[in-house]
Every structure is written in structure tokens, then in C-alpha cells.
Amino acid sequence: MKNKLITIVILLNYFVYPQSNSAFEIEFRGNVYFNNQKDSLNSTKHYGNWNDEIKERFLTPEKQIVLIKNDSIIIEEFPKKDNPSERMFIRNKEKNDRLDLNSGKKIKWNNPYITAKYRNLKNYKRIPDEDKTILKGKCEAWVSESKNGWNKIWISKKRLDNAQLEYTDLIINGFLVLKRTKHINGDRNIDFEAESIRKIENPNFKNILEKHLKIDIKTKYLPIKQNIGLSEKPIKIGKRIDNYAFRDVFKNDLIKLYDITKQKKYTIVEFWGTWCVPCLLANEKIKELKQAYEDKLSIFSINAYDRNINKLKKMIEKKQMNWTHGYSTEKLLKVFNRKDTFPRLVILNNENEVLFIGNPQVDLDKIKTVLNK
């Protein structure tokens, strides 16, 4: 009898969240599924040519860590449960921010489920037959529909004390949402359910942000003295370029461009970043070119706007980018990629003339035409 009493007391306390004095970390697990075979087949056609890593980036993270404190929420998204987080969503009152943790840049947050319709429980319909127990507490099921699809939530029966924050996926009318399922018309269902929740003492959101936005790669992008005096004009097809120096990603040394271009008839110079999904897609095409033209083609990838050296190196190794790698600088970007478009591919011959400028993701046939000469 004593053990049962302790269990009841724990459960009663478990769903009381004094928002004014406490903060909580909730871990959600994600899943993607389809209502019917037609939707599944349509999605397969769209994503079928992508590798698993790219699909995960476009579909849904496997895990979310949510921190709730006072009237602020931070959400970290993980594409795989053991990988570093890649995106962070910050909700404060009526403001939404979204950060790419690879580049440190704010990116557009276009989410139809942040609309006012989904933030008010009066716009939901109660579906008691779908109530379920989550984390040992009974949660009520509700659904709301719109032209975008439908949004289904399971809310705990306890209200967050003094909660002024509205956030469709996590808090609605002061109630904590422990599960949500969204259906996007003509596509997929995205499902998240809380797997754990714990109280945290004195969380410092500023420290959390600083930890994720720490830059240890910054010195690699600084100017290189060997490039002083060399041209800053953008490259042009048919023009010869200078012998620029680049910092090597894997060695504490400089790479001179002419040392690479003299090795074979052609050299591909690619500008990319781990934060750039099209770059990761294009990587497969560059590997295809390397294999097809190995006897006459060198490849040189230049990294831009990354933030973490180890993450960059791990991505290069994971993607099997078995060629030379360097870091960009502001001057090198002005010369090779003034419009700041990614991925960027340049073809040089062994006389250091520019033969082609374009995008490896969409210009593969044109690139092969140049290399076949």
C-alpha cells in the first residue's frame, strides 16, 4: 500500500508545471508515415533519387529537445538521434526565430501551423475515442482542420501556471501538448510524441545559444597574405586566373592553385558548405565525374560559411569526398563566387584558363561536354 501511495504522489506532481519559477526539458521522438499507398508512392517519386541523409533533412528530425522557461521556448532538432542538432527554433511571445546551427544564419520559418487558428483550442474538435496515456498521464485528443491539412494534438490535463506563451506544437491555451500529428495535404504525416520530461534548474538560454553558435573555424577564413596583390575581379570564361593560395582543411599548410591544376588536363573547383543541402546532393554528381574522368580530372573543394572544424571533417569523410579540400576567404569568394550561390563549380584547364562556371546539380550535361573535349 505504501508503494502505491508514493506512485500516486509522484504522478500528481508530474503534471504540475509552475511556469513562473521552473523550466523543463522534453524529448520528443519523430516519425513520418503516409495515410495511403498513393501518398506514399507520390512521395517516393519526389524523394526517391535522394540518399537517406537528404531525405531526413527534408522530412523530419528523429528527435527534438524542447526547453520551456517562463515565456520562452527553445527547440533543437536532430536529424539522427546521435548526431549534433542542426536547427534551433526560438519562440518568445509573438516572435519566431529559426537558426541554422551549421551556418549560424537565420532562415525563413514558413510553418502554416503557427497560424492563429491552430493556437486556440476553440478551433479544435474533441475526439475522446483517441485519448491516450503519455508519460503515465492521461492526455485528451483534439483535431483541427484547414486547407493545409489537419493538426491533431494530445494535451495533458494539467495547465501550465502563469503561461502566457502560445505555441501550437507545445502549449495551447496554457496546456502542454505531449503529442502532435500533422497531415500535409497530398504528402506526409509528421508525428511527434514525448518520451521523457525532466525539470531543469536555472537554465540559461543565453549560454545554450552561445554553445551552439560557437565558431572554431573563423581563423581559417581570414585573409591569406600570399593573396595580397592578386586580382579581386570575378573570374570569366576564357580568362586566365592567378595562383591563389588556400588553407588546407586536413593539413596545417597552404595549397597553391597551380600545384593542383598542373597535375591533370582539367580541374574542378567547387564551393560548398555542410549547411547547404543542394551541395550535398551535388556531391554525388561530382563523385560521378571523378570516376568517369579520373585520368584527366582533379577536384578541389572549397568550404565556405561553416562553423565547426570537426563537423566539416566528419562530413567530408562520411560523404567519401576523397580529393583536396581548402577553406575560402572573403577575397576568394569575391573572385570565384561573387554572387554567393551554392553549390558553385568552376572548371579550369592546366593552363589555368576558366572553361566553365555553373552549378553541378543542374549543369551536369554541360560539364561533361567540357570534359569530353
Side-chain angles (χ1 to χ4, degrees):
M1 183 68 182
K2 185 177 180 181
N3 290 337
K4 288 184 179 179
L5 180 61
I6 291 173
T7 302
I8 291 170
V9 171
I10 291 172
L11 289 177
L12 285 173
N13 289 330
Y14 204 75
F15 283 95
V16 177
Y17 308 108
Q19 186 77 338
S20 57
N21 300 312
S22 301
F24 295 86
E25 178 183 275
I26 311 170
E27 181 172 327
F28 288 88
R29 293 290 177 181
N31 182 37
V32 176
Y33 64 94
F34 301 91
N35 277 348
N36 53 60
Q37 187 177 23
K38 181 181 177 181
D39 283 351
S40 179
L41 289 173
N42 287 339
S43 183
T44 301
K45 288 178 184 177
H46 185 65
Y47 300 109
N49 295 325
W50 299 357
N51 62 34
D52 290 340
E53 179 183 352
I54 303 302
K55 289 178 188 176
E56 286 170 350
R57 287 169 180 257
F58 273 93
L59 291 176
T60 184
E62 185 171 322
K63 181 174 75 170
Q64 287 184 337
I65 296 293
V66 176
L67 296 174
I68 302 173
K69 177 187 178 185
N70 297 333
D71 290 325
S72 299
I73 293 175
I74 286 182
I75 305 170
E76 295 180 58
E77 287 196 344
F78 300 77
K80 292 184 178 179
K81 63 182 179 181
D82 297 324
N83 280 11
S85 51
E86 294 203 340
R87 285 170 295 272
M88 180 176 284
F89 298 84
I90 304 167
R91 172 75 171 160
N92 190 310
K93 295 183 179 178
E94 293 303 315
K95 185 179 180 183
N96 297 306
D97 284 319
R98 182 182 180 192
L99 293 176
D100 182 314
L101 296 179
N102 293 319
S103 65
K105 294 182 178 180
K106 278 189 178 182
I107 52 180
K108 187 177 180 181
W109 188 358
N110 183 19
N111 186 341
Y113 299 100
I114 302 301
T115 61
K117 173 181 174 62
Y118 288 105
R119 293 203 302 266
N120 195 322
L121 201 57
K122 72 180 183 181
N123 294 320
Y124 284 76
K125 179 182 177 181
R126 182 82 168 88
I127 42 175
D129 291 346
E130 296 190 36
D131 288 356
K132 64 180 300 183
T133 299
I134 302 174
L135 296 176
K136 300 181 181 180
K138 188 70 174 293
C139 290
E140 295 181 347
W142 298 73
V143 66
S144 184
E145 298 181 2
S146 77
K147 63 181 181 180
N148 296 310
W150 49 259
N151 190 45
K152 195 178 291 185
I153 58 174
W154 284 260
I155 61 175
S156 66
K157 289 189 174 183
K158 293 294 182 180
R159 186 180 173 88
L160 291 167
D161 293 345
N162 303 318
Q164 301 298 316
L165 185 64
E166 291 180 340
Y167 184 85
T168 314
D169 287 346
L170 296 169
I171 300 172
I172 183 164
N173 288 23
F175 294 99
L176 192 66
V177 177
L178 294 183
K179 181 178 179 180
R180 71 263 191 190
T181 300
K182 301 175 183 177
H183 174 70
I184 301 172
N185 282 335
D187 199 357
R188 61 196 182 276
N189 299 308
I190 301 175
D191 179 281
F192 278 96
E193 182 170 340
E195 286 200 343
S196 66
I197 183 167
R198 69 182 182 92
K199 183 178 178 180
I200 53 176
E201 300 294 337
N202 303 316
N204 189 318
F205 279 19
K206 182 173 181 287
N207 289 345
I208 293 170
L209 284 169
E210 287 177 350
K211 180 185 76 171
H212 282 290
L213 297 179
K214 178 183 177 183
I215 304 174
D216 66 3
I217 208 171
K218 191 172 182 180
T219 57
K220 303 296 184 181
Y221 296 147
L222 292 175
I224 299 172
K225 66 179 181 179
Q226 284 82 351
N227 291 335
I228 296 174
L230 300 184
S231 175
E232 291 190 6
K233 293 182 179 180
I235 57 174
K236 292 183 178 181
I237 292 176
K239 299 293 184 179
R240 192 172 187 271
I241 65 173
D242 290 342
N243 188 19
Y244 296 97
F246 300 79
R247 292 186 181 89
D248 194 305
V249 168
F250 289 95
K251 300 176 183 177
N252 188 22
D253 204 353
L254 291 179
I255 304 168
K256 298 301 285 286
L257 182 61
Y258 287 4
D259 289 339
I260 297 176
T261 57
K262 70 181 182 183
Q263 295 175 14
K264 294 184 179 178
K265 184 176 180 179
Y266 300 112
T267 297
I268 282 178
V269 180
E270 175 215 16
F271 281 78
W272 76 295
T274 65
W275 46 268
C276 168
V277 172
C279 297
L280 299 177
L281 291 169
N283 173 257
E284 298 304 317
K285 292 184 170 57
I286 292 175
K287 286 195 284 189
E288 178 185 327
L289 293 171
K290 180 178 184 293
Q291 184 175 5
Y293 300 95
E294 190 166 8
D295 292 341
K296 59 178 180 179
L297 179 64
S298 298
I299 299 175
F300 183 24
S301 288
I302 311 299
N303 175 262
Y305 303 128
D306 263 295
R307 305 179 67 80
N308 184 277
I309 292 172
N310 286 331
K311 186 171 184 178
L312 169 62
K313 290 180 178 179
K314 286 179 181 178
M315 181 63 78
I316 291 170
E317 292 168 354
K318 179 178 179 180
K319 302 292 289 181
Q320 298 180 340
M321 300 167 69
N322 301 322
W323 50 78
T324 307
H325 291 269
Y327 295 103
S328 64
T329 66
E330 183 178 353
K331 181 171 185 174
L332 293 168
L333 286 173
K334 284 181 179 179
V335 172
F336 285 90
N337 194 7
R338 186 176 289 266
K339 291 185 178 180
D340 220 27
T341 58
F342 293 87
R344 177 79 153 180
L345 184 144
V346 177
I347 300 178
L348 306 174
N349 63 18
N350 52 13
E351 296 180 352
N352 302 300
E353 293 175 333
V354 179
L355 305 179
F356 175 85
I357 303 170
N359 184 326
Q361 182 65 9
V362 298
D363 295 330
L364 188 62
D365 290 340
K366 294 178 183 178
I367 292 168
K368 289 180 178 179
T369 298
V370 173
L371 298 179
N372 284 331
K373 292 179 180 180

